[in-house]
Amino acid sequence: MLATCMAERAVRSIVEPPADAAQEVARRLLANVERVVVGKHDQIAVVLSALISGGHALLEDVPGTAKTMLARALALSIQGASFARVQCTPDLQPTDVTGLSIFNQKTREFEFRAGPVFANIVLVDEVNRAMPRTQSALLEAMAERQVTVDGVTHALPSPFLVIATENPIEQEGTFPLPEAQLDRLVVRAALGYPDRDDEISIVLTQRHGHPIEALKTVVTASEVRSVLAAVEDVYVDELILRWTVDLVRATREVPGVAIGASVRGSLTLDRTARAWALLHGRDYVVPADIERLFLPVLGHRLLLSVSYVAEAQGLSRDEALETIRERCLELAPAPDLEG
């Protein structure tokens, strides 16, 4: 069964250095970002899972919780990686993000000037303040990994990660992302406030400057690309794969959900779980990986029913989604891998 498969893969990993090398690259990257963003191991791992699974992340959190520092630290950790920040406002145009062609009077030709989306790590701050047209252009670039301007297609760099942020408190003057566009984001997470000891440590550390100023690169872009390739080889037992699909299908049947996760939810949960396993030093997925990633991967893909929203009026959205997760696990319980 699974225990035997794990043992066989453990033996193979001794003689197959690429898997071990990918795990080491992922470990170095995670540890380096944690030097700047303190006490948020799991949340950073969720965002890195999006990166090495080839997706993008949505951070929904209040100001001052190190969202920008997380993106900058990630870019600085990768040798040669570029970082760009887009501050979304209602007057932001699609070409402000993707770039545009400008006429060069000397050469008498149009030249393409790349926009900030051509960076390796792109922070899109308060994405819900941009007009739908701009949001659409950005999300198209994220999905296709290319930008077409004046009939010419320009490929985006690799690795490529967009970290979009939203402020859950201020909703006035915003344009919420529609469900179809939210479905394109691999994970939704929140860093949250640090605990008391971590906050004291942050204050003491920053008395003489910010730690990001001394951050060094620890991996190369080619090493990150090798990790993306290694994710494809992470083992998923057939029982876990079937259960993953059943769990996603349960979101379409569970009371309280008007529209459940699509097939893209199954694909994303499977691939993100493999990335999560690699980040935690394994070349195989365990059921705990799927359970841990259920809400970050599927939570923003679920449209809750009006009756359930009324029923859960005293709960936060995260608490309401946790109840949905428990109901889904009742409909599709984790497989018995030892039987």
Side-chain angles (χ1 to χ4, degrees), residues 92-270:
L92 186 73
Q93 298 298 311
T95 52
D96 295 332
V97 176
T98 60
L100 74 165
S101 295
I102 297 177
F103 185 71
N104 187 323
Q105 293 185 346
K106 291 183 178 180
T107 62
R108 312 292 293 178
E109 294 179 349
F110 282 95
E111 297 178 351
F112 177 68
R113 300 289 178 88
V117 79
F118 281 85
N120 294 101
I121 309 295
V122 183
L123 177 70
V124 183
D125 215 0
E126 296 189 289
V127 65
N128 54 337
R129 292 197 178 278
M131 293 286 286
R133 185 181 176 190
T134 304
Q135 293 176 359
S136 178
L138 172 66
L139 292 170
E140 181 182 1
M142 291 163 53
E144 304 297 333
R145 296 182 179 271
Q146 62 184 28
V147 170
T148 301
V149 178
D150 295 333
V152 180
T153 299
H154 307 271
L156 296 177
S158 178
F160 176 59
L161 171 69
V162 171
I163 300 178
T165 75
E166 288 186 343
N167 183 347
I169 298 176
E170 298 179 6
Q171 298 298 324
E172 186 176 353
T174 61
F175 304 88
L177 294 173
E179 280 68 24
Q181 292 182 352
L182 280 173
D183 198 38
R184 295 286 180 178
L185 291 156
V186 167
V187 296
R188 169 187 169 272
L191 294 177
Y193 293 118
D195 61 31
R196 182 173 179 270
D197 289 341
D198 287 332
E199 192 161 353
I200 291 172
S201 174
I202 291 169
V203 172
L204 291 174
T205 302
Q206 295 190 28
R207 278 185 176 175
H208 304 290
H210 201 288
I212 200 167
E213 297 169 2
L215 200 66
K216 306 295 184 183
T217 59
V218 293
V219 299
T220 64
S222 62
E223 285 178 322
V224 175
R225 288 191 288 270
S226 71
V227 175
L228 268 80
V231 167
E232 298 179 2
D233 297 324
V234 173
Y235 175 74
V236 181
D237 188 83
E238 185 179 352
L239 285 175
I240 294 180
L241 178 59
R242 290 179 178 275
W243 171 58
T244 300
V245 173
D246 288 342
L247 202 55
V248 174
R249 292 176 66 86
T251 66
R252 306 166 199 166
E253 305 169 5
V254 67
V257 176
I259 300 178
S262 67
V263 177
R264 188 180 289 122
S266 298
L267 292 167
T268 305
L269 185 55
D270 170 70

Side-chain angles (χ1 to χ4, degrees), residues 76-104:
L76 287 172
S77 298
I78 304 172
Q79 185 178 24
S82 53
F83 170 76
R85 174 175 177 169
V86 179
Q87 183 63 53
C88 292
T89 57
D91 60 349
L92 186 73
Q93 298 298 311
T95 52
D96 295 332
V97 176
T98 60
L100 74 165
S101 295
I102 297 177
F103 185 71
N104 187 323

Side-chain angles (χ1 to χ4, degrees), residues 1-7 235-237 240 284-287 337-338:
M1 297 303 293
L2 181 63
T4 304
C5 293
M6 290 178 181
Y235 175 74
V236 181
D237 188 83
I240 294 180
Y284 56 88
V285 173
V286 296
L337 300 174
E338 301 299 330

Side-chain angles (χ1 to χ4, degrees), residues 251 254-260 302-313 317 320-321 324 327:
T251 66
V254 67
V257 176
I259 300 178
L302 306 181
L303 182 62
L304 302 182
S305 65
V306 175
S307 59
Y308 181 67
V309 172
E311 174 189 335
Q313 195 168 9
R317 177 173 173 81
L321 286 172
I324 296 297
R327 291 179 181 179

